[in-house]
């Protein structure tokens, strides 16, 4: 696990965007795993800037989103389809057919989830998965108690997550109870994981994820088992880490040959 602590969300997001840009330049047909929520906003803005100002080309990139609410049509303002169109896809040149987001209206959810897994395999697997973290440690929508080996499937949101996400809906009771999410096992097969977390509200979850005991009760702890996981934090999100000074020293003193930014 590499813990990268920046002064603010914007600088952290620029570092994460550079990692993605480097991958896309080396491998133009890269498969990206994408996430939603407030956290990746600056990351998408920086990727859009790189596309528009520097010609970063996404024309062969394939994408798979982590999750979607069940019951919301793609054009619902709070759907993750809408989020992705508004915050990223409409401003870059990823062909529509290369974009995959779970279908919240699938009539047969189990078959849809199996097909989603198959589509990831057919694409050659995910090269780099962007992740956020819920205040309870969830990744994607894998709530505490999710099997650490789980695959794409239906999940039921906890009351806490529905409350956290109520800001995207007109009324709190409008937040769906059910979602489709890539499983933790699915996420762990990505070749690289880049988790972003900003703000004091994430400090406890981040502390557990990076330095706590691995447990399904805090799904993000599973990243400790991944051979190439990068954790991009701002200072407040890093504030509960015991080894904070060590992580900073490591990052500032990386040998030049090892730097990937
Ligand atoms: C939702 C998403 C997660 C995201 C989390 C944190 O639950 N399904 O993928 O990481 O929210 O969201 P935010 O970035 O808004 O704090």
């Amino acid at each position: 696990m590499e813990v990268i602590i920046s002064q603010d969300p914007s600088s952290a997001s620029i570092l994460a965007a550079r990692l993605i840009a480097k991958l896309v330049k080396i491998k133009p047909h890269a498969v990206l795993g994408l996430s939603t929520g407030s956290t990746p906003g600056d990351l998408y803005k920086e990727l859009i800037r790189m596309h528009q100002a520097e010609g970063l080309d996404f024309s062969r990139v394939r994408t798979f989103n982590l999750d979607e609410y069940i019951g919301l049509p793609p054009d619902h303002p709070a759907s993750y389809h809408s989020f992705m169109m508004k915050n990223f896809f409409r401003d870059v040149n990823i062909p529509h057919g290369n974009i995959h987001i779970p279908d919240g209206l699938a009539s047969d959810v189990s078959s849809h989830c199996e097909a989603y897994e198959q589509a990831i395999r057919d694409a050659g697997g995910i090269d780099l998965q962007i992740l956020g973290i819920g205040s309870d440690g969830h990744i994607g929508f894998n709530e505490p108690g999710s099997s650490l080996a789980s695959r794409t499937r239906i999940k039921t949101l906890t009351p806490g997550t529905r409350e956290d996400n109520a800001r995207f809906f007109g009324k709190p009771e409008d937040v769906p109870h059910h979602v489709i999410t890539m499983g933790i096992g699915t996420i762990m097969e990505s070749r690289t994981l880049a988790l972003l977390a900003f703000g004091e509200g994430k400090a406890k979850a981040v502390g557990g994820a990076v330095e706590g005991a691995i447990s399904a009760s805090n799904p993000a702890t599973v990243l400790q088992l991944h051979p190439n996981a990068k954790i991009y934090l701002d200072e407040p999100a890093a504030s509960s880490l015991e080894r904070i000074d060590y992580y900073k020293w490591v990052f500032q003193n990386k040998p030049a040959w090892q730097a990937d930014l």
Side-chain angles (χ1 to χ4, degrees):
M1 229 179 204
E2 183 180 6
V3 181
I4 301 163
I5 301 161
S6 301
Q7 272 198 322
D8 50 52
S10 160
S11 347
S13 303
I14 288 173
L15 293 182
R18 285 187 194 155
L19 182 73
I20 296 172
K22 187 177 176 195
L23 169 67
V24 170
K25 283 178 196 162
I26 295 170
K27 187 175 179 183
H29 57 292
V31 180
L32 301 180
L34 301 178
S35 74
T36 53
S38 309
T39 306
D42 284 349
L43 167 68
Y44 292 136
K45 280 193 193 121
E46 176 61 9
L47 289 173
I48 291 167
R49 190 200 66 73
M50 288 170 160
H51 169 66
Q52 293 175 346
E54 297 169 8
L56 181 62
D57 181 20
F58 290 93
S59 62
R60 292 174 63 198
V61 163
R62 281 85 43 88
T63 67
F64 288 87
N65 262 79
L66 281 169
D67 45 17
E68 180 58 287
Y69 292 103
I70 288 185
L72 297 193
D75 61 353
H76 187 287
S79 78
Y80 285 165
H81 274 78
S82 292
F83 176 96
M84 291 306 302
M85 291 303 157
K86 189 164 150 245
N87 292 286
F88 189 46
F89 293 144
R90 74 175 180 191
D91 293 315
V92 292
N93 63 335
I94 303 176
H96 190 74
N98 288 9
I99 293 170
H100 303 83
I101 305 176
D103 179 4
L105 295 183
S107 52
D108 181 341
V109 172
S110 302
S111 311
H112 179 64
C113 293
E114 274 172 39
Y116 203 72
E117 290 273 334
Q118 188 59 48
I120 295 173
R121 280 192 292 274
D122 291 346
I126 294 173
D127 290 301
L128 191 154
Q129 175 68 55
I130 306 295
L131 295 169
I133 183 171
S135 53
D136 59 2
H138 72 241
I139 50 175
F141 265 137
N142 293 284
E143 295 284 32
S146 292
S147 159
L148 298 182
S150 52
R151 312 302 306 187
T152 302
R153 69 210 184 293
I154 186 171
K155 279 298 289 182
T156 305
L157 297 182
T158 62
T161 296
R162 292 185 66 241
E163 207 173 290
D164 282 351
N165 290 356
R167 67 190 190 281
F168 297 110
F169 291 79
K171 297 186 279 248
E173 57 271 30
D174 289 346
V175 184
H177 284 270
H178 293 109
V179 295
I180 293 174
T181 181
M182 267 187 216
I184 297 177
T186 321
I187 293 169
M188 288 292 284
E189 282 173 10
S190 293
R191 294 179 188 97
T192 298
L193 299 178
L195 183 144
L196 284 68
F198 307 133
E200 212 184 330
K202 299 289 171 75
K204 191 164 167 264
V206 166
V210 176
E211 296 177 342
I214 295 171
S215 162
S217 296
N218 184 353
T221 56
V222 77
L223 267 68
Q224 295 173 33
L225 293 171
H226 196 282
N228 193 17
K230 293 172 186 291
I231 317 291
Y232 295 90
L233 306 172
D234 65 356
E235 288 278 354
S239 58
S240 76
L241 293 171
E242 280 181 23
R243 293 186 289 272
I244 184 165
D245 293 336
Y246 172 71
Y247 305 132
K248 287 182 179 174
W249 198 95
V250 170
F251 183 67
Q252 283 156 7
N253 295 279
K254 274 175 100 164
W257 61 265
Q258 207 189 25
D260 56 9
L261 304 168

